[in-house]
Amino acid sequence: VLFVVELLLSLILLEIYIPIKPVQSCTMWSSLISHLKSTVTVKRRRVLLKSHSDCFLGSEGVDVLAEYIVKAKGFEGAVVSRDKVVCVCQALLECGVFEAVGTKVLGKDKKQDAFHDSNSALYSMDPIIDCIQRDKRQQYTCTGCNSIRTWFLWLFPAVVDEVWQEQTLLSLLNLVELPVLEGVLQCRQSPSSPSPANLAHNNPDLIYSSNHLDRQILKAFRDSQEDEWLCAALDCLDFLPDQPVVELSRDGLAQCKLLLYGTLVKHYSITNRLPLLPQHMTDVYTAITELLVNVKLDKALEALQLCLKLLPHSCRDELRRLLIFVSLAADPHGIKVDKEIENRLAVKRSFSRAILHSKALSKEKEDLILVFMLSNVKEIFKIPGALHKVVSDKLACLVQEKQPDVTGSTFCQQVDRNTLQSSTKTTTNQALWVLLNNIHLDTKISAKEKKRLLRQFHLSHPEIFNQYFGDSAFSVL
């Protein structure tokens, strides 16, 4: 029980990025239980014509804990929603801090498995709380501890997403060499495509009013179809504005696939549209093309999977749906989408710029990546098994408040202060030695200028100067 309460408070702090020390955490969970016990109104209450003694309302328990959390030291200014406080109450319920009061429904006792933020849900304090107050070091078995990871994932999606991004980037850096990290670090902040507002500004004829009915009609039509080509195209409509969706809904989509194809081509051929694959990740794309050229297909696939995992969720989902449709539309045996050229060339001309386009990347490399993506469209959006494991281990460490395992691949190593100072001095002296050697052996500068530079160096670094020239140091000056 003590571990669970301490952990939940620590997790709330983790979400708002406030560091917490073990002693502070211990004080917090102890104060939380004490505050709940001393503040919540415990009295005899009546539910369904039956009285229950020594119990409190679920809604009052949430009120008490919410008030405590937002006023606790270290939480000032934090935004903790009522739903999250309910989840804390749920975990405390599962761990036996308090228990639900049984009520009879049709003559049968029915206990509540879930905590309810309600005026009709009754709970009573468990006697174990008194034991906690007397001996804080005592450990108790908690059946609810197994569900803590579930609460963690639900309560703190931002933290979980951050772990995924961090481990994905580390895995990608282990796989390919990148000259700079600016591109991949900016991936989450940069928009992948213009918003409907921007599109409306550039094309005032488009209508962006929400039309729920027409979208529901198309959704129902899609659910009733078995044609893979048609379903994939309809899936892409979720990312289109309302006007083309309304036109498709009312112009007889069932009779004409080409109408749907033309609508998607028109949408993804907008001149100023940003590609779904961010342009600032060109270094990653270049590394992938090098793997493909060297026929390292497995590594290229894994690198592409990691690259796509770094994309924002909405961009990744749109890219996945579009690639599935493009791969089906490019089938030479499918419906002919262009009267003059074959499907693969027509699809490539219509959608390639919307998927990947960068001035720093040659057309050949863009085509190579696009062909590889279309050939492996069912694999590139899968998550590598190794990444699943490292993320799971990292989240387990966060849940259990343990230090993460750093015995694997790392890009830096912590050193003590003495080692740092020694390394800094050695590196600096080596650089100074090289500088002095360059001045001494440089034949392009005049003798007067060289003597001036050597005197200046001697004044700043006499030890290095004397070591370099030895007994002839004074004659040089």
Side-chain angles (χ1 to χ4, degrees), residues 101-164:
V101 175
T103 58
K104 282 191 176 183
V105 178
L106 299 178
K108 296 181 180 180
D109 285 332
K110 183 179 179 181
K111 280 203 171 184
Q112 302 164 346
D113 295 328
F115 182 88
H116 293 283
D117 182 10
S118 169
N119 290 331
S120 60
L122 302 182
Y123 301 91
S124 62
M125 290 294 179
D126 194 286
I128 197 175
I129 295 182
D130 295 329
C131 300
I132 295 176
Q133 299 293 336
R134 291 195 301 266
D135 188 358
K136 296 178 182 179
R137 296 182 180 181
Q138 187 174 356
Q139 300 296 320
Y140 297 94
T141 302
C142 172
T143 58
C145 289
N146 293 330
S147 65
I148 289 301
R149 189 171 301 179
T150 303
W151 295 122
F152 173 78
L153 296 176
W154 190 91
L155 283 169
F156 309 100
V159 176
V160 177
D161 185 60
E162 195 70 30
V163 172
W164 271 107

Side-chain angles (χ1 to χ4, degrees), residues 29 36 61 65 87 227 254 268 406-407 463:
W29 59 252
L36 177 64
L65 292 182
C87 288
D227 189 310
Y268 285 103
V406 293
T407 56
E463 295 181 0

Side-chain angles (χ1 to χ4, degrees), residues 229 322-332 347 373-375 377:
W229 192 104
L322 181 60
L323 285 176
I324 291 175
F325 168 71
V326 169
S327 64
L328 294 171
D331 185 359
V347 168
M373 293 175 71
L374 293 176
S375 302
V377 68

Side-chain angles (χ1 to χ4, degrees), residues 146-403:
N146 293 330
S147 65
I148 289 301
R149 189 171 301 179
T150 303
W151 295 122
F152 173 78
L153 296 176
W154 190 91
L155 283 169
F156 309 100
V159 176
V160 177
D161 185 60
E162 195 70 30
V163 172
W164 271 107
Q165 294 290 327
E166 170 192 300
Q167 297 303 321
T168 302
L169 178 57
L170 290 176
S171 300
L172 183 60
L173 293 177
N174 276 326
L175 197 61
V176 300
E177 294 183 5
L178 302 178
V180 293
L181 300 181
E182 183 178 1
V184 289
L185 293 178
Q186 290 179 351
C187 183
R188 297 180 64 193
Q189 290 78 24
S190 298
S192 59
S193 59
S195 64
N198 292 335
L199 290 174
H201 176 74
N202 296 323
N203 192 346
D205 294 332
L206 294 180
I207 302 173
Y208 290 95
S209 59
S210 175
N211 197 311
H212 182 72
L213 178 60
D214 290 280
R215 292 188 181 274
Q216 289 301 311
I217 292 174
L218 291 176
K219 183 178 183 300
F221 177 71
R222 177 189 59 196
D223 295 340
S224 65
Q225 300 300 310
E226 295 183 357
D227 189 310
E228 190 178 11
W229 192 104
L230 192 58
C231 291
L234 290 169
D235 279 339
C236 295
L237 296 183
D238 290 342
F239 301 96
L240 269 65
D242 284 337
Q243 181 180 1
V245 173
V246 171
E247 293 174 354
L248 283 168
S249 175
R250 300 175 184 177
D251 289 348
L253 174 63
Q255 288 73 33
C256 188
K257 285 185 178 180
L258 292 179
L259 176 63
L260 179 57
Y261 178 82
T263 300
L264 293 175
V265 170
K266 182 179 179 180
H267 174 72
Y268 285 103
S269 299
I270 298 176
T271 305
N272 61 344
R273 178 184 176 85
L274 294 176
L276 293 173
L277 287 175
Q279 300 182 52
H280 50 253
M281 294 185 68
T282 303
D283 291 332
V284 179
Y285 310 144
T286 301
I288 293 175
T289 57
E290 291 177 356
L291 292 173
L292 292 174
V293 170
N294 295 324
V295 200
K296 297 180 180 179
L297 302 184
D298 291 341
K299 285 189 175 182
L301 177 60
E302 184 179 355
L304 187 57
Q305 289 172 335
L306 296 171
C307 176
L308 297 181
K309 187 66 181 73
L310 289 171
L311 299 179
H313 299 300
S314 59
C315 174
R316 190 169 185 267
D317 187 34
E318 183 178 2
L319 179 62
R320 178 185 61 82
R321 298 192 195 189
L322 181 60
L323 285 176
I324 291 175
F325 168 71
V326 169
S327 64
L328 294 171
D331 185 359
H333 303 294
I335 179 176
K336 190 169 180 59
V337 297
D338 192 286
K339 296 181 180 180
E340 299 180 356
I341 57 179
E342 63 174 353
N343 284 354
R344 285 176 292 187
L345 182 58
V347 168
K348 177 174 167 293
R349 287 181 179 180
S350 300
F351 295 100
S352 60
R353 290 179 65 91
I355 297 172
L356 173 62
H357 178 66
S358 174
K359 294 181 180 179
L361 209 61
S362 67
K363 192 71 171 85
E364 291 75 14
K365 290 184 177 180
E366 290 182 0
D367 292 342
L368 181 60
I369 293 181
L370 182 60
V371 171
F372 182 71
M373 293 175 71
L374 293 176
S375 302
N376 298 272
V377 68
K378 295 183 178 180
E379 302 294 329
I380 58 177
F381 291 97
K382 293 181 179 180
I383 308 300
L387 179 60
H388 269 294
K389 185 179 186 307
V390 295
V391 171
S392 178
D393 293 343
K394 182 66 177 291
L395 291 177
C397 290
L398 292 177
V399 168
Q400 299 171 11
E401 292 187 318
K402 293 180 180 179
Q403 291 294 328

Side-chain angles (χ1 to χ4, degrees), residues 21-35:
K21 298 180 180 179
V23 176
Q24 294 174 330
S25 179
C26 178
T27 303
M28 286 181 183
W29 59 252
S30 178
S31 300
L32 177 71
I33 296 177
S34 299
H35 182 78

